[in-house]
Amino acid sequence: MSDFFAHETAVIDEGCQIGTGTKIWHFSHLMTGCVLGEKCNIGQNVVISPKVVLGKNVKVQNNVSIYEGVTCDDDVFLGPSMVFTNVINPRSAINRKNEYLKTHVGKGASIGANATIVCGHNIGEFAFIGAGAVVTKEVPDYALVVGNPARQMGWMSEFGQRLQFDAENIAVCEESGEKYKLENNKVFKI
């Protein structure tokens, strides 16, 4: 008896590591060598390629493909139909498997529906990528980015609330009451 749930239509190749309490839904495919932490939720029609590593409590919504070179820390949210790439200049007739670029998604980050993360650009902790954004550069911790190409529009709290900084560069999350400091274009929880 396994300590995770997999729908009968899910395909799980030998050699996958799947944490306790993880759920894998309809028509999803986990490929040899991927690692999923505890209590992940893998939606319908998801593909997780070899060597992908997901931390604990990662939520992957429907129709997401996570390609080799991607790692996600704990508590990451990957919205419906969002896209990772792993080759910067793909061509069908040219094999570039030795050129895969790595992308790391930091703890607590959220990536909105239909967003595209161009490979080789890391997403910071608790960053918030808006729906449909196309990320073409590094995203700092707590940053809110939207658009094509994605541009930073502000800062978000760990609870996903927009932060408004006062004259002393202090902001309070409306939902949690937690305080944040903006210093040298970086946000820290205080």
Side-chain angles (χ1 to χ4, degrees):
M1 184 152 175
S2 63
D3 52 0
F4 63 89
F5 167 81
H7 187 270
E8 63 186 23
T9 61
V11 175
I12 301 173
D13 295 346
E14 286 189 38
C16 298
Q17 295 179 37
I18 302 170
T20 301
T22 289
K23 295 179 180 176
I24 303 157
W25 294 99
H26 307 68
F27 314 115
S28 289
H29 183 189
L30 277 61
M31 300 173 80
T32 300
C34 69
V35 177
L36 281 65
E38 297 175 2
K39 298 182 181 176
C40 290
N41 190 63
I42 309 302
Q44 292 185 174
N45 196 38
V46 170
V47 175
I48 302 178
S49 295
K51 300 179 186 173
V52 167
V53 176
L54 303 182
K56 297 176 186 174
N57 196 42
V58 173
K59 305 291 191 249
V60 182
Q61 301 301 298
N62 299 345
N63 306 312
V64 174
S65 295
I66 309 174
Y67 297 117
E68 188 172 327
V70 174
T71 57
C72 297
D73 286 344
D74 297 348
D75 304 319
V76 166
F77 177 87
L78 304 178
S81 302
M82 63 79 48
V83 175
F84 288 104
T85 69
N86 62 0
V87 175
I88 201 74
N89 58 341
R91 292 287 194 202
S92 178
I94 299 170
N95 184 331
R96 292 205 160 105
K97 287 185 178 183
N98 62 344
E99 297 177 26
Y100 288 167
L101 296 179
K102 296 186 182 318
T103 300
H104 180 78
V105 182
K107 176 181 173 63
S110 293
I111 301 176
N114 293 307
T116 299
I117 310 302
V118 176
C119 57
H121 301 102
N122 297 321
I123 309 300
E125 291 186 0
F126 302 103
F128 198 98
I129 312 302
V134 179
V135 174
T136 60
K137 61 184 178 181
E138 301 283 313
V139 177
D141 295 350
Y142 299 101
L144 166 64
V145 300
V146 299
N148 180 6
R151 291 183 175 86
Q152 187 171 350
M153 302 301 292
W155 303 97
M156 298 290 271
S157 75
E158 292 182 11
F159 276 68
Q161 299 296 324
R162 186 109 182 237
L163 294 172
Q164 303 296 329
F165 288 91
D166 63 18
E168 296 175 0
N169 288 329
I170 303 292
V172 177
C173 173
E174 292 178 5
E175 186 172 351
S176 69
E178 296 173 333
K179 292 184 179 182
Y180 296 83
K181 172 88 172 160
L182 175 62
E183 189 171 71
N184 297 322
N185 207 31
K186 292 182 180 178
V187 169
F188 307 92
K189 190 165 77 167
I190 53 175

